[in-house]
Amino acid sequence: MTSTAAVPQVNTPFTFGQVFAVGDVKSTEGIAAKTAAGANVPLQVDVKARHADGSVRHAVITGQLPSSMPKQVQTIYLVKGNATTTTTGAAPAQLLNAGFSSTFNATIGGKVYSASADALLKSGKYTTWLAGPLTNEWLVSAPLKTASGEEHPHLHARFAIRAYGTSAARVDVTVENTWAFEASPQNYTYDAQLLVGGKSAYTQAAVPHYHHARWRKTFWWGNAPLLDLRHNAAYMVASKALPNYDLTLSIKETTIDAWNKRWLAAKTGAMDVGLGQPYMPTTGGRSDIGLLPAWSALYLTSMDQRMKNIMLGMSELAGGWSAHYRNKTTGKPITLAEYPYMTLLGNPGDTYNPVTKLREAFPDCPSTACTTPFRADTSHQPAFAYLPYMVTGDYYHLEELEFWANYNTFSTNPGYRDYGKGLFKADQIRAQAWSMRTTAQAAYILPDNDPQKALFTTILNNNIDWYDANYTNNPAATKLGALTHGYAVIYNDNTGLSPWQDDFFTSAIGVAAELGFTRAKPLLAWKAKFPIDRMTGAGFCWISGAMYAMKVRDSATSPLYETIGQAYKASSTDQLNLLGCNTTAMATLLGLKLGEMTGYSDMPTGYPSNMQPALAYAAGAATGGPAAWKVFMARTVKPDYSLEPQFDIVPR
């Protein structure tokens, strides 16, 4: 922890999220903290999720740093033991008696709509997120209302009030336009004002609040603690909660400085998307695509506070896309378990539920009322919120993860996804990959008492079962190890598929398997054949292992090839087929250096880079994996991952 204050600080509070490896903190063990000198650090541990063996998986930890000098760096060690503290946490009434207040106002056409956090706390209508001697956090929400009690049909505010005693509290406000089934959904424009302690903390004129979107800002009542906290990245990766990023990579200061300048120059107000791609379906190499986006991978590999600010900021701004549908009855993001026939892609007739005899179509949102410059999709969807929630424990990031995971389930036609089963099979292969990734992340990290955790686990298993039935355990499935259903074999007049999309899927299944979902392991072993054979398979030259499109049959009605060698021969020119693999003649013909792969091999987002995570997972999943990895790493032209390390994943 680094003090960023200009003066000494005493008993400074801090809160963070921490993931733990299986078995490291058993159900009978506690967690304490010590300084490098061995002094006890007061600690509060809110366990949110446990592994199958009962050991702690994820917890929100609050501590109190006894003292710190300006710019002083101190290392805090988490150890087994009983947390020590000498303080007593504040109750809502005590915080209110100390003078706490916070109000959000939205002025629409001269009419003021408001929501008051202190009034909601006073009413007792709150949910406790953190509870203990060092901090208590309460969640409250309400529709915006006028002074006369007129309730806005769509706009509502949600506050997370984190109190450190009665002298300081973090005020986390989210303003939403997210009700799933409220009639006449539309955009609203208003002047926003947030008051904390009776003083203006944030204002923005003419906020264009888009339908099914939300925005968030955080401020402090009282003195804000000024500490920068860096996690032990090596432990986080070793826990398998994150892919095995190469932490030996040295991130350049120039890289972080460039990203920070881009961030400071970006639009990050209410209803902005910062460094995100506003039109998510935009194709091409992108910084936000991967098991983690570039900004999250750079944070993990550098632990630089500037990259952390960008990562957390982008999770906040992910609320700007119209992908947020909340159940007004439960107060939670809407799920297939509640409405198995709802959809964003289908006719109203497709949404008829024969059990309830009701249509589950969302109310019509005409383009005249719902125009937005942002477009979400599943094929190019970043992992916005998983790592932010992991390292902060903030409820906003948790719900952001839930919103996107649920969006992926109901964005397709109900029949194609087999209704409540939530199958992703009808989507593009890359969309299936990112949907499986996000579902696995949600099923892993959500709190155990959150009902959506079990739902996402079921949806993940439903999908794995479908892939197993159609590939892993299907004797008639392709021998190539690639997915061939749906939108897979659509290249070159429906004779080819894209290896890079398939690699995305393989790496996503690798994530699920590493997160402890053992049912994914047979599928990963089956999928591993495709990237392995493109490195070491008989009749295939690894130089072309990351080609853009690979021919897998002679015509749109022909059977699929039986071997990877057939696919290579059909995908290569006659002239190339006459040349030896990785020869000077081949390099000359392809315009490459000797030992260089095709597909933008020097780019962090090139096709060989896309292939790397798939090969890394394959290396530990199948017999030929290590040999294929060795060939891949022997290539002569590699990208500079210190610029964008989102694909720099290596075998464990």
Side-chain angles (χ1 to χ4, degrees):
M1 296 186 189
T2 304
S3 171
T4 59
V7 297
Q9 298 183 93
V10 178
N11 295 330
T12 312
F14 56 87
T15 299
F16 63 97
Q18 179 65 51
V19 71
F20 295 90
V22 177
D24 273 7
V25 184
K26 297 178 176 60
S27 59
T28 57
E29 296 174 326
I31 303 170
K34 293 183 180 294
T35 66
N40 290 328
V41 175
L43 208 68
Q44 171 184 319
V45 180
D46 289 86
V47 176
K48 292 298 179 181
R50 292 183 180 274
H51 294 288
D53 66 354
S55 62
V56 178
R57 173 180 290 178
H58 185 247
V60 183
I61 297 176
T62 300
Q64 195 176 76
L65 194 62
S67 65
S68 61
M69 301 299 292
K71 298 183 179 180
Q72 182 183 3
V73 179
Q74 299 185 60
T75 301
I76 306 298
Y77 296 90
L78 295 181
V79 297
K80 292 181 182 179
N82 296 318
T84 60
T85 179
T86 57
T87 60
T88 302
Q94 292 173 299
L95 187 68
L96 294 172
N97 289 338
F100 171 82
S101 66
S102 182
T103 302
F104 174 75
N105 299 317
T107 304
I108 307 175
K111 187 182 294 187
V112 180
Y113 293 84
S114 303
S116 166
D118 42 303
L120 291 166
L121 286 175
K122 189 178 297 183
S123 71
K125 297 178 180 179
Y126 60 83
T127 299
T128 300
W129 175 242
L130 302 178
L134 295 182
T135 190
N136 286 283
E137 183 168 332
W138 308 291
L139 311 177
V140 293
S141 63
L144 301 186
K145 294 181 180 180
T146 64
S148 62
E150 178 188 348
E151 184 176 307
H152 195 282
H154 288 279
L155 296 178
H156 50 113
R158 314 184 82 82
F159 298 88
I161 308 303
R162 182 178 296 173
Y164 295 99
T166 57
S167 59
R170 193 185 73 164
V171 182
D172 176 337
V173 61
T174 304
V175 184
E176 297 194 1
N177 179 11
T178 58
W179 297 135
F181 287 103
E182 190 71 27
S184 303
Q186 58 189 281
N187 302 338
Y188 292 93
T189 300
Y190 55 81
D191 294 337
Q193 180 190 45
L194 176 65
L195 300 173
V196 176
K199 299 178 181 179
S200 179
Y202 182 76
T203 60
Q204 183 175 330
V207 173
H209 201 138
Y210 306 118
H211 71 98
H212 300 104
R214 63 184 194 151
W215 60 270
R216 176 215 198 197
K217 296 292 179 183
T218 57
F219 300 93
W220 283 87
W221 175 81
N223 294 324
L226 299 176
L227 294 173
D228 282 348
L229 183 149
R230 296 189 179 200
H231 280 76
N232 183 338
Y235 179 81
M236 294 167 66
V237 169
S239 75
K240 297 186 178 180
L242 293 168
N244 193 31
Y245 283 92
D246 183 4
L247 297 182
T248 66
L249 184 70
S250 178
I251 305 301
K252 303 171 184 175
E253 167 59 26
T254 53
T255 297
I256 295 175
D257 182 62
W259 274 90
N260 192 50
K261 286 178 179 176
R262 285 178 58 197
W263 175 249
L264 294 176
K267 294 181 178 180
T268 56
M271 287 292 105
D272 289 320
V273 294
L275 301 180
Q277 175 57 252
Y279 186 76
M280 210 173 278
T282 299
T283 57
R286 299 232 309 254
S287 298
D288 55 350
I289 298 298
L291 297 176
L292 292 177
W295 50 77
S296 293
L298 281 166
Y299 157 69
L300 181 66
T301 50
S302 71
M303 277 294 133
D304 191 282
Q305 188 67 28
R306 291 164 293 179
M307 294 311 307
K308 186 177 185 179
N309 291 340
I310 295 173
M311 178 185 73
L312 300 183
M314 283 306 303
S315 181
E316 286 190 354
L317 296 177
W321 279 276
S322 297
H324 301 72
Y325 288 72
R326 190 182 289 277
N327 187 328
K328 196 172 185 178
T329 302
T330 66
K332 291 282 290 179
I334 203 162
T335 70
L336 286 188
E338 301 157 329
Y339 298 97
Y341 288 78
M342 64 180 172
T343 183
L344 292 176
L345 184 63
N347 299 315
D350 297 330
T351 69
Y352 177 74
N353 187 328
V355 176
T356 63
K357 302 188 185 310
L358 298 173
R359 296 194 187 279
E360 295 176 354
F362 295 122
D364 185 41
C365 194
S367 59
T368 53
C370 293
T371 300
T372 169
F374 312 136
R375 164 81 181 277
D377 85 338
T378 53
S379 295
H380 307 83
Q381 189 181 109
F384 287 116
Y386 175 63
L387 187 52
Y389 172 64
M390 183 187 297
V391 300
T392 65
D394 282 4
Y395 195 78
Y396 176 90
H397 299 305
L398 167 64
E399 283 207 315
E400 199 61 26
L401 176 60
E402 292 180 329
F403 273 122
W404 285 101
N406 280 303
Y407 168 85
N408 293 342
T409 66
F410 62 74
S411 62
T412 54
N413 183 282
Y416 294 169
R417 68 170 185 253
D418 204 355
Y419 308 102
K421 285 190 175 180
L423 301 183
F424 304 127
K425 61 183 176 65
D427 219 331
Q428 296 182 40
I429 300 302
R430 53 189 165 185
Q432 295 175 49
W434 306 139
S435 295
M436 289 292 282
R437 170 207 65 195
T438 304
T439 302
Q441 290 173 339
Y444 174 84
I445 200 74
L446 259 59
D448 292 339
N449 64 0
D450 190 320
Q452 297 204 13
K453 187 185 190 78
L455 172 66
F456 289 126
T457 301
T458 298
I459 289 175
L460 182 66
N461 288 334
N462 289 342
N463 278 277
I464 292 172
D465 289 347
W466 188 90
Y467 292 116
D468 280 346
N470 288 272
Y471 292 100
T472 318
N473 303 324
N474 181 10
T478 172
K479 304 299 188 293
L480 299 176
L483 300 185
T484 55
H485 65 280
Y487 290 95
V489 189
I490 59 172
Y491 292 80
N492 302 330
D493 298 323
N494 297 321
T495 65
L497 54 76
S498 56
W500 48 278
Q501 287 197 43
D502 198 87
D503 289 337
F504 290 161
F505 184 86
T506 301
S507 63
I509 299 305
V511 165
E514 277 202 338
L515 289 178
F517 300 104
T518 55
R519 289 169 69 164
K521 289 185 176 181
L523 176 59
L524 175 61
W526 188 90
K527 284 297 297 99
K529 178 177 173 58
F530 191 47
I532 289 173
D533 277 358
R534 282 148 52 210
M535 287 289 106
T536 57
F540 197 102
C541 179
W542 62 271
I543 295 294
S544 300
M547 62 179 72
Y548 175 76
M550 176 185 294
K551 193 168 184 178
V552 294
R553 60 187 177 190
D554 291 331
S555 70
T557 57
S558 299
L560 296 169
Y561 297 142
E562 292 288 317
T563 69
I564 197 71
Q566 288 176 288
Y568 177 77
K569 184 177 181 180
S571 302
S572 305
T573 64
D574 291 341
Q575 188 177 5
L576 186 62
N577 279 320
L578 293 173
L579 301 177
C581 182
N582 192 26
T583 59
T584 301
M586 177 178 280
T588 300
L589 177 64
L590 296 174
L592 305 173
K593 295 178 181 178
L594 187 64
E596 178 182 1
M597 292 180 70
T598 61
Y600 310 103
S601 58
D602 61 338
M603 294 177 59
T605 56
Y607 300 121
S609 296
N610 297 161
M611 186 182 191
Q612 181 167 328
L615 268 175
Y617 284 110
T623 303
W629 178 261
K630 185 176 180 180
V631 173
F632 181 74
M633 292 306 291
R635 68 198 192 281
T636 57
V637 177
K638 301 175 185 177
D640 181 359
Y641 278 132
S642 69
L643 301 175
E644 293 186 23
Q646 63 268 32
F647 292 108
D648 191 18
I649 295 168
V650 297
R652 290 195 186 272

